[in-house]
Amino acid sequence: MDKYITATISGAAVRHNLALLREQIGNKVKLYPVVKADCYGHGLELLLDVIAEFADGLCVANPAMAMRLRRLGYNGSILTFFSACSYMGNKQKLFIAELISADITQTVVDVQEADTINKVALELGVEAKIHLKIDTGMGRSGCLISDVVGVIDVINKSNGLELTGVYSHFSSADEVEISVTEKQLSLFKETVAKSDIGNDIMLHIANSAATIRFPAAHLDMVRPGLAVYGYHTCVESEKLLPLKPCMRVTAPIIQIKDVSAGTSCGYGLTFTFNKDSRIGRIPVGYGDGYPRRLSNKAIVRIKGKDAPLRGRVSMDQLIIDLTDIPDVIVGDEVEIISDDRLKLNSVENLARLAGTISYEVTCCFGGKRVERVVGD
Ligand SMILES: *Cc1c(COP(=O)(O)O)cnc(C)c1O
């Protein structure tokens, strides 16, 4: 092991979370966990088998990751949130062909994408599976409500396309205020009801928050991401489902020293000890994905106690206060991220302290300097 930092990933926790999500949606609704961004930074290779066990299919953002899933031997259904039309130049056609041949379902957002994929499919002499994404208010990807009829008309006339799903995405399913979500859901249902699509088309709109909070949004399938890995996207959903965080991050203490009152530490000398103190140095920094915004705010845990960060987080190291924790020696293990959501160094609490979201915290720890090992 040549890396200082270890992320222990628990397959048992992910299994627990998927079982809870399955219970939540019942047996008729399809479960398509989102494994984009390398399973939100936790590592696709470590978790694929566990997730595949529970999944009716998988969702990824970009087509390259869909191909990676195939290379890893996953042969279930895969939906990519971007089509290969998002690749430019002469790579585009090749890649679209590759995805079609690998039976990967691409998302289409407009007539141009539908046409492009249709042409490639016709050349291959096959039908390409696609899902149409509708923008019901997120204002990001998807076709406008006013364009839906036209796009579906083009798709229906394209012999190279097989429309197997229509979906949308919530902008605010994790907000206390639920009116935006209700509006998006009813707009989606209305739009679909008015469209000329077949009966066996899969309709879906629910991310983690909606899967947990709004059963009415389950429709034919759900696309939970963050919840699979054990984190809640909002306080409201915390009360509803006892998810288990799947990641614990540790690193050793590499130096301990006693400093006298009045000593300051770290870049900019932003912290000054007001009494004689003992400090420890840990080889973890923002270069590893530890948020610099946690400087002087967060804690790490050692021997079951909280040790506060002192001074700014550097690129490769941080300083902690060991004054009140006796008997710590160099080499002792420090817990950077706890898999217990009640601890101050849980993903959710660190995200709150850093003014960000759990998604960013776990994705940032997806870097190369973190050794991933399988836990229980
Ligand atoms: C990321 C993503 C999801 C999953 O969202 P979570 O909040 O992690 O559950 C679902 N659908 C789409 C389109 C996404 O981009």
Side-chain angles (χ1 to χ4, degrees), residues 189-227:
K189 287 191 183 163
E190 250 168 59
T191 308
V192 168
K194 282 189 220 150
S195 313
D196 179 21
I197 55 167
N199 291 328
D200 48 355
I201 304 283
M202 288 219 286
L203 303 177
H204 51 106
I205 192 166
N207 54 7
S208 295
T211 302
I212 297 170
R213 296 178 71 200
F214 308 111
H218 291 168
L219 307 181
D220 298 319
M221 75 174 241
V222 296
R223 312 181 306 261
L226 197 71

PDB file of all heavy atoms in Angstrom, residues 189-227:
ATOM      1  N   LYS A 189     -46.441  14.396 -16.191  1.00  0.00           N
ATOM      2  CA  LYS A 189     -47.536  13.449 -16.477  1.00  0.00           C
ATOM      3  C   LYS A 189     -48.473  13.992 -17.562  1.00  0.00           C
ATOM      4  O   LYS A 189     -48.883  13.249 -18.457  1.00  0.00           O
ATOM      5  CB  LYS A 189     -48.316  13.174 -15.206  1.00  0.00           C
ATOM      6  CG  LYS A 189     -47.560  12.288 -14.216  1.00  0.00           C
ATOM      7  CD  LYS A 189     -48.554  11.897 -13.174  1.00  0.00           C
ATOM      8  CE  LYS A 189     -48.209  11.113 -12.047  1.00  0.00           C
ATOM      9  NZ  LYS A 189     -49.128  11.113 -10.951  1.00  0.00           N
ATOM     10  N   GLU A 190     -48.793  15.274 -17.457  1.00  0.00           N
ATOM     11  CA  GLU A 190     -49.656  15.907 -18.454  1.00  0.00           C
ATOM     12  C   GLU A 190     -49.049  15.820 -19.857  1.00  0.00           C
ATOM     13  O   GLU A 190     -49.706  15.461 -20.823  1.00  0.00           O
ATOM     14  CB  GLU A 190     -49.726  17.402 -18.149  1.00  0.00           C
ATOM     15  CG  GLU A 190     -51.027  17.950 -17.641  1.00  0.00           C
ATOM     16  CD  GLU A 190     -50.795  19.361 -17.124  1.00  0.00           C
ATOM     17  OE1 GLU A 190     -50.351  20.224 -17.920  1.00  0.00           O
ATOM     18  OE2 GLU A 190     -50.996  19.574 -15.910  1.00  0.00           O
ATOM     19  N   THR A 191     -47.769  16.165 -19.927  1.00  0.00           N
ATOM     20  CA  THR A 191     -47.075  16.193 -21.215  1.00  0.00           C
ATOM     21  C   THR A 191     -47.052  14.806 -21.839  1.00  0.00           C
ATOM     22  O   THR A 191     -47.300  14.639 -23.032  1.00  0.00           O
ATOM     23  CB  THR A 191     -45.633  16.709 -21.037  1.00  0.00           C
ATOM     24  OG1 THR A 191     -45.689  17.933 -20.322  1.00  0.00           O
ATOM     25  CG2 THR A 191     -44.938  16.914 -22.361  1.00  0.00           C
ATOM     26  N   VAL A 192     -46.747  13.805 -20.997  1.00  0.00           N
ATOM     27  CA  VAL A 192     -46.677  12.437 -21.491  1.00  0.00           C
ATOM     28  C   VAL A 192     -48.054  11.970 -21.957  1.00  0.00           C
ATOM     29  O   VAL A 192     -48.195  11.336 -23.009  1.00  0.00           O
ATOM     30  CB  VAL A 192     -46.125  11.503 -20.388  1.00  0.00           C
ATOM     31  CG1 VAL A 192     -46.315  10.049 -20.779  1.00  0.00           C
ATOM     32  CG2 VAL A 192     -44.652  11.791 -20.140  1.00  0.00           C
ATOM     33  N   ALA A 193     -49.098  12.311 -21.191  1.00  0.00           N
ATOM     34  CA  ALA A 193     -50.466  11.887 -21.533  1.00  0.00           C
ATOM     35  C   ALA A 193     -50.887  12.436 -22.899  1.00  0.00           C
ATOM     36  O   ALA A 193     -51.634  11.794 -23.628  1.00  0.00           O
ATOM     37  CB  ALA A 193     -51.430  12.351 -20.442  1.00  0.00           C
ATOM     38  N   LYS A 194     -50.385  13.619 -23.233  1.00  0.00           N
ATOM     39  CA  LYS A 194     -50.745  14.239 -24.505  1.00  0.00           C
ATOM     40  C   LYS A 194     -49.899  13.736 -25.670  1.00  0.00           C
ATOM     41  O   LYS A 194     -50.121  14.102 -26.812  1.00  0.00           O
ATOM     42  CB  LYS A 194     -50.563  15.757 -24.403  1.00  0.00           C
ATOM     43  CG  LYS A 194     -51.688  16.457 -23.668  1.00  0.00           C
ATOM     44  CD  LYS A 194     -51.513  17.970 -23.826  1.00  0.00           C
ATOM     45  CE  LYS A 194     -51.836  18.683 -22.536  1.00  0.00           C
ATOM     46  NZ  LYS A 194     -51.081  19.914 -22.345  1.00  0.00           N
ATOM     47  N   SER A 195     -48.856  12.948 -25.358  1.00  0.00           N
ATOM     48  CA  SER A 195     -47.911  12.548 -26.407  1.00  0.00           C
ATOM     49  C   SER A 195     -48.311  11.239 -27.062  1.00  0.00           C
ATOM     50  O   SER A 195     -48.969  10.393 -26.450  1.00  0.00           O
ATOM     51  CB  SER A 195     -46.508  12.387 -25.839  1.00  0.00           C
ATOM     52  OG  SER A 195     -46.192  13.478 -25.047  1.00  0.00           O
ATOM     53  N   ASP A 196     -47.842  11.079 -28.254  1.00  0.00           N
ATOM     54  CA  ASP A 196     -48.131   9.883 -29.013  1.00  0.00           C
ATOM     55  C   ASP A 196     -47.042   8.838 -28.767  1.00  0.00           C
ATOM     56  O   ASP A 196     -46.175   8.601 -29.601  1.00  0.00           O
ATOM     57  CB  ASP A 196     -48.193  10.264 -30.507  1.00  0.00           C
ATOM     58  CG  ASP A 196     -48.471   9.062 -31.384  1.00  0.00           C
ATOM     59  OD1 ASP A 196     -49.003   8.059 -30.859  1.00  0.00           O
ATOM     60  OD2 ASP A 196     -48.147   9.130 -32.575  1.00  0.00           O
ATOM     61  N   ILE A 197     -47.095   8.232 -27.555  1.00  0.00           N
ATOM     62  CA  ILE A 197     -46.099   7.192 -27.258  1.00  0.00           C
ATOM     63  C   ILE A 197     -46.822   5.908 -26.888  1.00  0.00           C
ATOM     64  O   ILE A 197     -47.967   5.926 -26.457  1.00  0.00           O
ATOM     65  CB  ILE A 197     -45.142   7.600 -26.108  1.00  0.00           C
ATOM     66  CG1 ILE A 197     -45.931   7.977 -24.844  1.00  0.00           C
ATOM     67  CG2 ILE A 197     -44.219   8.714 -26.540  1.00  0.00           C
ATOM     68  CD1 ILE A 197     -45.072   8.072 -23.601  1.00  0.00           C
ATOM     69  N   GLY A 198     -46.135   4.807 -27.039  1.00  0.00           N
ATOM     70  CA  GLY A 198     -46.740   3.500 -26.765  1.00  0.00           C
ATOM     71  C   GLY A 198     -46.971   3.274 -25.272  1.00  0.00           C
ATOM     72  O   GLY A 198     -46.579   4.081 -24.437  1.00  0.00           O
ATOM     73  N   ASN A 199     -47.599   2.130 -24.951  1.00  0.00           N
ATOM     74  CA  ASN A 199     -47.940   1.833 -23.558  1.00  0.00           C
ATOM     75  C   ASN A 199     -46.777   1.298 -22.743  1.00  0.00           C
ATOM     76  O   ASN A 199     -46.747   1.428 -21.530  1.00  0.00           O
ATOM     77  CB  ASN A 199     -49.058   0.777 -23.511  1.00  0.00           C
ATOM     78  CG  ASN A 199     -50.350   1.365 -24.012  1.00  0.00           C
ATOM     79  OD1 ASN A 199     -50.591   2.559 -23.835  1.00  0.00           O
ATOM     80  ND2 ASN A 199     -51.165   0.537 -24.646  1.00  0.00           N
ATOM     81  N   ASP A 200     -45.831   0.661 -23.429  1.00  0.00           N
ATOM     82  CA  ASP A 200     -44.761   0.007 -22.674  1.00  0.00           C
ATOM     83  C   ASP A 200     -43.532   0.899 -22.522  1.00  0.00           C
ATOM     84  O   ASP A 200     -42.424   0.431 -22.294  1.00  0.00           O
ATOM     85  CB  ASP A 200     -44.386  -1.316 -23.349  1.00  0.00           C
ATOM     86  CG  ASP A 200     -44.186  -1.138 -24.845  1.00  0.00           C
ATOM     87  OD1 ASP A 200     -44.431  -0.009 -25.341  1.00  0.00           O
ATOM     88  OD2 ASP A 200     -43.769  -2.108 -25.510  1.00  0.00           O
ATOM     89  N   ILE A 201     -43.736   2.196 -22.644  1.00  0.00           N
ATOM     90  CA  ILE A 201     -42.626   3.139 -22.475  1.00  0.00           C
ATOM     91  C   ILE A 201     -42.399   3.371 -20.982  1.00  0.00           C
ATOM     92  O   ILE A 201     -43.345   3.634 -20.247  1.00  0.00           O
ATOM     93  CB  ILE A 201     -42.991   4.504 -23.127  1.00  0.00           C
ATOM     94  CG1 ILE A 201     -43.356   4.311 -24.592  1.00  0.00           C
ATOM     95  CG2 ILE A 201     -41.882   5.519 -22.921  1.00  0.00           C
ATOM     96  CD1 ILE A 201     -42.211   4.098 -25.506  1.00  0.00           C
ATOM     97  N   MET A 202     -41.163   3.271 -20.530  1.00  0.00           N
ATOM     98  CA  MET A 202     -40.866   3.505 -19.115  1.00  0.00           C
ATOM     99  C   MET A 202     -40.847   5.001 -18.818  1.00  0.00           C
ATOM    100  O   MET A 202     -40.130   5.765 -19.466  1.00  0.00           O
ATOM    101  CB  MET A 202     -39.497   2.928 -18.767  1.00  0.00           C
ATOM    102  CG  MET A 202     -39.477   1.421 -18.722  1.00  0.00           C
ATOM    103  SD  MET A 202     -38.449   0.864 -17.366  1.00  0.00           S
ATOM    104  CE  MET A 202     -36.845   1.231 -18.050  1.00  0.00           C
ATOM    105  N   LEU A 203     -41.625   5.389 -17.804  1.00  0.00           N
ATOM    106  CA  LEU A 203     -41.654   6.793 -17.392  1.00  0.00           C
ATOM    107  C   LEU A 203     -40.913   6.917 -16.071  1.00  0.00           C
ATOM    108  O   LEU A 203     -41.123   6.117 -15.152  1.00  0.00           O
ATOM    109  CB  LEU A 203     -43.102   7.257 -17.229  1.00  0.00           C
ATOM    110  CG  LEU A 203     -44.001   7.098 -18.456  1.00  0.00           C
ATOM    111  CD1 LEU A 203     -45.424   7.529 -18.124  1.00  0.00           C
ATOM    112  CD2 LEU A 203     -43.452   7.902 -19.642  1.00  0.00           C
ATOM    113  N   HIS A 204     -40.030   7.906 -15.971  1.00  0.00           N
ATOM    114  CA  HIS A 204     -39.291   8.055 -14.708  1.00  0.00           C
ATOM    115  C   HIS A 204     -38.863   9.490 -14.462  1.00  0.00           C
ATOM    116  O   HIS A 204     -38.606  10.252 -15.402  1.00  0.00           O
ATOM    117  CB  HIS A 204     -38.108   7.100 -14.647  1.00  0.00           C
ATOM    118  CG  HIS A 204     -37.175   7.112 -15.833  1.00  0.00           C
ATOM    119  ND1 HIS A 204     -35.927   7.687 -15.780  1.00  0.00           N
ATOM    120  CD2 HIS A 204     -37.295   6.607 -17.093  1.00  0.00           C
ATOM    121  CE1 HIS A 204     -35.324   7.530 -16.957  1.00  0.00           C
ATOM    122  NE2 HIS A 204     -36.122   6.880 -17.773  1.00  0.00           N
ATOM    123  N   ILE A 205     -38.788   9.818 -13.167  1.00  0.00           N
ATOM    124  CA  ILE A 205     -38.451  11.190 -12.786  1.00  0.00           C
ATOM    125  C   ILE A 205     -37.758  11.271 -11.420  1.00  0.00           C
ATOM    126  O   ILE A 205     -37.181  12.306 -11.089  1.00  0.00           O
ATOM    127  CB  ILE A 205     -39.745  12.068 -12.800  1.00  0.00           C
ATOM    128  CG1 ILE A 205     -39.416  13.560 -12.701  1.00  0.00           C
ATOM    129  CG2 ILE A 205     -40.716  11.632 -11.701  1.00  0.00           C
ATOM    130  CD1 ILE A 205     -40.571  14.490 -13.032  1.00  0.00           C
ATOM    131  N   ALA A 206     -37.764  10.176 -10.641  1.00  0.00           N
ATOM    132  CA  ALA A 206     -37.316  10.280  -9.240  1.00  0.00           C
ATOM    133  C   ALA A 206     -35.827  10.057  -9.015  1.00  0.00           C
ATOM    134  O   ALA A 206     -35.272   9.028  -9.386  1.00  0.00           O
ATOM    135  CB  ALA A 206     -38.105   9.305  -8.376  1.00  0.00           C
ATOM    136  N   ASN A 207     -35.178  11.035  -8.385  1.00  0.00           N
ATOM    137  CA  ASN A 207     -33.812  10.887  -7.864  1.00  0.00           C
ATOM    138  C   ASN A 207     -33.923  10.364  -6.422  1.00  0.00           C
ATOM    139  O   ASN A 207     -35.003   9.946  -5.998  1.00  0.00           O
ATOM    140  CB  ASN A 207     -33.090  12.236  -7.929  1.00  0.00           C
ATOM    141  CG  ASN A 207     -33.868  13.350  -7.218  1.00  0.00           C
ATOM    142  OD1 ASN A 207     -34.886  13.106  -6.570  1.00  0.00           O
ATOM    143  ND2 ASN A 207     -33.390  14.567  -7.348  1.00  0.00           N
ATOM    144  N   SER A 208     -32.838  10.417  -5.645  1.00  0.00           N
ATOM    145  CA  SER A 208     -32.884   9.879  -4.274  1.00  0.00           C
ATOM    146  C   SER A 208     -33.966  10.538  -3.440  1.00  0.00           C
ATOM    147  O   SER A 208     -34.792   9.857  -2.818  1.00  0.00           O
ATOM    148  CB  SER A 208     -31.542  10.098  -3.564  1.00  0.00           C
ATOM    149  OG  SER A 208     -30.526   9.368  -4.185  1.00  0.00           O
ATOM    150  N   ALA A 209     -33.960  11.863  -3.388  1.00  0.00           N
ATOM    151  CA  ALA A 209     -34.896  12.574  -2.517  1.00  0.00           C
ATOM    152  C   ALA A 209     -36.336  12.234  -2.876  1.00  0.00           C
ATOM    153  O   ALA A 209     -37.167  11.980  -2.006  1.00  0.00           O
ATOM    154  CB  ALA A 209     -34.662  14.083  -2.611  1.00  0.00           C
ATOM    155  N   ALA A 210     -36.635  12.195  -4.174  1.00  0.00           N
ATOM    156  CA  ALA A 210     -38.004  11.901  -4.591  1.00  0.00           C
ATOM    157  C   ALA A 210     -38.358  10.442  -4.333  1.00  0.00           C
ATOM    158  O   ALA A 210     -39.488  10.123  -3.966  1.00  0.00           O
ATOM    159  CB  ALA A 210     -38.187  12.239  -6.068  1.00  0.00           C
ATOM    160  N   THR A 211     -37.386   9.547  -4.496  1.00  0.00           N
ATOM    161  CA  THR A 211     -37.646   8.129  -4.231  1.00  0.00           C
ATOM    162  C   THR A 211     -38.046   7.937  -2.772  1.00  0.00           C
ATOM    163  O   THR A 211     -38.954   7.174  -2.449  1.00  0.00           O
ATOM    164  CB  THR A 211     -36.385   7.285  -4.543  1.00  0.00           C
ATOM    165  OG1 THR A 211     -36.013   7.495  -5.903  1.00  0.00           O
ATOM    166  CG2 THR A 211     -36.632   5.813  -4.304  1.00  0.00           C
ATOM    167  N   ILE A 212     -37.371   8.675  -1.886  1.00  0.00           N
ATOM    168  CA  ILE A 212     -37.632   8.521  -0.457  1.00  0.00           C
ATOM    169  C   ILE A 212     -38.852   9.332  -0.008  1.00  0.00           C
ATOM    170  O   ILE A 212     -39.667   8.865   0.773  1.00  0.00           O
ATOM    171  CB  ILE A 212     -36.384   8.938   0.355  1.00  0.00           C
ATOM    172  CG1 ILE A 212     -35.202   8.012   0.015  1.00  0.00           C
ATOM    173  CG2 ILE A 212     -36.667   8.907   1.855  1.00  0.00           C
ATOM    174  CD1 ILE A 212     -33.869   8.459   0.562  1.00  0.00           C
ATOM    175  N   ARG A 213     -39.010  10.526  -0.556  1.00  0.00           N
ATOM    176  CA  ARG A 213     -40.061  11.432  -0.039  1.00  0.00           C
ATOM    177  C   ARG A 213     -41.382  11.409  -0.805  1.00  0.00           C
ATOM    178  O   ARG A 213     -42.411  11.734  -0.236  1.00  0.00           O
ATOM    179  CB  ARG A 213     -39.538  12.877  -0.057  1.00  0.00           C
ATOM    180  CG  ARG A 213     -38.373  13.130   0.852  1.00  0.00           C
ATOM    181  CD  ARG A 213     -37.899  14.567   0.712  1.00  0.00           C
ATOM    182  NE  ARG A 213     -38.820  15.535   1.281  1.00  0.00           N
ATOM    183  CZ  ARG A 213     -38.838  16.830   0.968  1.00  0.00           C
ATOM    184  NH1 ARG A 213     -37.990  17.297   0.060  1.00  0.00           N
ATOM    185  NH2 ARG A 213     -39.680  17.648   1.552  1.00  0.00           N
ATOM    186  N   PHE A 214     -41.342  11.093  -2.099  1.00  0.00           N
ATOM    187  CA  PHE A 214     -42.559  11.225  -2.913  1.00  0.00           C
ATOM    188  C   PHE A 214     -42.910   9.944  -3.674  1.00  0.00           C
ATOM    189  O   PHE A 214     -42.587   9.804  -4.859  1.00  0.00           O
ATOM    190  CB  PHE A 214     -42.388  12.369  -3.923  1.00  0.00           C
ATOM    191  CG  PHE A 214     -41.961  13.662  -3.305  1.00  0.00           C
ATOM    192  CD1 PHE A 214     -40.696  14.183  -3.547  1.00  0.00           C
ATOM    193  CD2 PHE A 214     -42.823  14.354  -2.460  1.00  0.00           C
ATOM    194  CE1 PHE A 214     -40.286  15.375  -2.954  1.00  0.00           C
ATOM    195  CE2 PHE A 214     -42.425  15.543  -1.865  1.00  0.00           C
ATOM    196  CZ  PHE A 214     -41.153  16.058  -2.113  1.00  0.00           C
ATOM    197  N   PRO A 215     -43.597   8.996  -3.006  1.00  0.00           N
ATOM    198  CA  PRO A 215     -43.990   7.751  -3.678  1.00  0.00           C
ATOM    199  C   PRO A 215     -44.750   8.014  -4.979  1.00  0.00           C
ATOM    200  O   PRO A 215     -44.632   7.228  -5.920  1.00  0.00           O
ATOM    201  CB  PRO A 215     -44.885   7.061  -2.647  1.00  0.00           C
ATOM    202  CG  PRO A 215     -44.434   7.605  -1.335  1.00  0.00           C
ATOM    203  CD  PRO A 215     -44.000   9.019  -1.581  1.00  0.00           C
ATOM    204  N   ALA A 216     -45.470   9.113  -5.053  1.00  0.00           N
ATOM    205  CA  ALA A 216     -46.235   9.415  -6.274  1.00  0.00           C
ATOM    206  C   ALA A 216     -45.320   9.634  -7.473  1.00  0.00           C
ATOM    207  O   ALA A 216     -45.757   9.582  -8.620  1.00  0.00           O
ATOM    208  CB  ALA A 216     -47.104  10.648  -6.060  1.00  0.00           C
ATOM    209  N   ALA A 217     -44.034   9.876  -7.209  1.00  0.00           N
ATOM    210  CA  ALA A 217     -43.089  10.140  -8.293  1.00  0.00           C
ATOM    211  C   ALA A 217     -42.335   8.885  -8.735  1.00  0.00           C
ATOM    212  O   ALA A 217     -41.473   8.947  -9.605  1.00  0.00           O
ATOM    213  CB  ALA A 217     -42.093  11.217  -7.867  1.00  0.00           C
ATOM    214  N   HIS A 218     -42.660   7.732  -8.124  1.00  0.00           N
ATOM    215  CA  HIS A 218     -41.907   6.516  -8.487  1.00  0.00           C
ATOM    216  C   HIS A 218     -42.149   6.096  -9.938  1.00  0.00           C
ATOM    217  O   HIS A 218     -41.240   5.578 -10.591  1.00  0.00           O
ATOM    218  CB  HIS A 218     -42.270   5.360  -7.554  1.00  0.00           C
ATOM    219  CG  HIS A 218     -41.775   5.550  -6.156  1.00  0.00           C
ATOM    220  ND1 HIS A 218     -42.179   4.768  -5.100  1.00  0.00           N
ATOM    221  CD2 HIS A 218     -40.913   6.450  -5.624  1.00  0.00           C
ATOM    222  CE1 HIS A 218     -41.585   5.163  -3.988  1.00  0.00           C
ATOM    223  NE2 HIS A 218     -40.822   6.193  -4.276  1.00  0.00           N
ATOM    224  N   LEU A 219     -43.395   6.275 -10.426  1.00  0.00           N
ATOM    225  CA  LEU A 219     -43.762   5.913 -11.809  1.00  0.00           C
ATOM    226  C   LEU A 219     -43.265   4.503 -12.154  1.00  0.00           C
ATOM    227  O   LEU A 219     -43.431   3.593 -11.356  1.00  0.00           O
ATOM    228  CB  LEU A 219     -43.238   6.971 -12.785  1.00  0.00           C
ATOM    229  CG  LEU A 219     -43.657   8.417 -12.439  1.00  0.00           C
ATOM    230  CD1 LEU A 219     -43.097   9.400 -13.484  1.00  0.00           C
ATOM    231  CD2 LEU A 219     -45.156   8.584 -12.295  1.00  0.00           C
ATOM    232  N   ASP A 220     -42.602   4.333 -13.302  1.00  0.00           N
ATOM    233  CA  ASP A 220     -42.180   2.976 -13.706  1.00  0.00           C
ATOM    234  C   ASP A 220     -40.793   2.599 -13.206  1.00  0.00           C
ATOM    235  O   ASP A 220     -40.457   1.422 -13.079  1.00  0.00           O
ATOM    236  CB  ASP A 220     -42.189   2.847 -15.233  1.00  0.00           C
ATOM    237  CG  ASP A 220     -43.571   3.045 -15.800  1.00  0.00           C
ATOM    238  OD1 ASP A 220     -44.540   2.533 -15.201  1.00  0.00           O
ATOM    239  OD2 ASP A 220     -43.694   3.733 -16.831  1.00  0.00           O
ATOM    240  N   MET A 221     -39.969   3.609 -12.973  1.00  0.00           N
ATOM    241  CA  MET A 221     -38.631   3.310 -12.436  1.00  0.00           C
ATOM    242  C   MET A 221     -38.088   4.516 -11.682  1.00  0.00           C
ATOM    243  O   MET A 221     -38.571   5.634 -11.863  1.00  0.00           O
ATOM    244  CB  MET A 221     -37.656   2.888 -13.557  1.00  0.00           C
ATOM    245  CG  MET A 221     -37.151   4.012 -14.456  1.00  0.00           C
ATOM    246  SD  MET A 221     -35.863   3.449 -15.627  1.00  0.00           S
ATOM    247  CE  MET A 221     -34.479   4.486 -15.130  1.00  0.00           C
ATOM    248  N   VAL A 222     -37.107   4.257 -10.789  1.00  0.00           N
ATOM    249  CA  VAL A 222     -36.478   5.355 -10.051  1.00  0.00           C
ATOM    250  C   VAL A 222     -34.968   5.348 -10.312  1.00  0.00           C
ATOM    251  O   VAL A 222     -34.395   4.309 -10.655  1.00  0.00           O
ATOM    252  CB  VAL A 222     -36.749   5.252  -8.531  1.00  0.00           C
ATOM    253  CG1 VAL A 222     -38.239   5.403  -8.249  1.00  0.00           C
ATOM    254  CG2 VAL A 222     -36.228   3.935  -7.957  1.00  0.00           C
ATOM    255  N   ARG A 223     -34.359   6.528 -10.147  1.00  0.00           N
ATOM    256  CA  ARG A 223     -32.922   6.686 -10.427  1.00  0.00           C
ATOM    257  C   ARG A 223     -32.199   7.272  -9.215  1.00  0.00           C
ATOM    258  O   ARG A 223     -31.682   8.375  -9.262  1.00  0.00           O
ATOM    259  CB  ARG A 223     -32.703   7.639 -11.606  1.00  0.00           C
ATOM    260  CG  ARG A 223     -33.532   7.413 -12.840  1.00  0.00           C
ATOM    261  CD  ARG A 223     -33.166   8.424 -13.932  1.00  0.00           C
ATOM    262  NE  ARG A 223     -33.235   9.808 -13.501  1.00  0.00           N
ATOM    263  CZ  ARG A 223     -34.269  10.631 -13.733  1.00  0.00           C
ATOM    264  NH1 ARG A 223     -35.311  10.208 -14.413  1.00  0.00           N
ATOM    265  NH2 ARG A 223     -34.235  11.871 -13.292  1.00  0.00           N
ATOM    266  N   PRO A 224     -32.138   6.527  -8.093  1.00  0.00           N
ATOM    267  CA  PRO A 224     -31.449   7.087  -6.927  1.00  0.00           C
ATOM    268  C   PRO A 224     -29.940   6.988  -7.080  1.00  0.00           C
ATOM    269  O   PRO A 224     -29.416   5.991  -7.581  1.00  0.00           O
ATOM    270  CB  PRO A 224     -31.934   6.208  -5.774  1.00  0.00           C
ATOM    271  CG  PRO A 224     -32.235   4.899  -6.413  1.00  0.00           C
ATOM    272  CD  PRO A 224     -32.660   5.167  -7.831  1.00  0.00           C
ATOM    273  N   GLY A 225     -29.247   8.027  -6.665  1.00  0.00           N
ATOM    274  CA  GLY A 225     -27.784   8.015  -6.678  1.00  0.00           C
ATOM    275  C   GLY A 225     -27.254   8.087  -5.255  1.00  0.00           C
ATOM    276  O   GLY A 225     -26.941   7.070  -4.637  1.00  0.00           O
ATOM    277  N   LEU A 226     -27.214   9.276  -4.711  1.00  0.00           N
ATOM    278  CA  LEU A 226     -26.592   9.497  -3.403  1.00  0.00           C
ATOM    279  C   LEU A 226     -27.079   8.530  -2.315  1.00  0.00           C
ATOM    280  O   LEU A 226     -26.288   8.059  -1.502  1.00  0.00           O
ATOM    281  CB  LEU A 226     -26.824  10.953  -2.958  1.00  0.00           C
ATOM    282  CG  LEU A 226     -25.896  11.416  -1.843  1.00  0.00           C
ATOM    283  CD1 LEU A 226     -24.467  11.591  -2.341  1.00  0.00           C
ATOM    284  CD2 LEU A 226     -26.387  12.736  -1.227  1.00  0.00           C
ATOM    285  N   ALA A 227     -28.375   8.237  -2.311  1.00  0.00           N
ATOM    286  CA  ALA A 227     -28.935   7.372  -1.262  1.00  0.00           C
ATOM    287  C   ALA A 227     -28.349   5.963  -1.317  1.00  0.00           C
ATOM    288  O   ALA A 227     -28.216   5.297  -0.291  1.00  0.00           O
ATOM    289  CB  ALA A 227     -30.455   7.303  -1.390  1.00  0.00           C
TER     290      ALA A 227
END
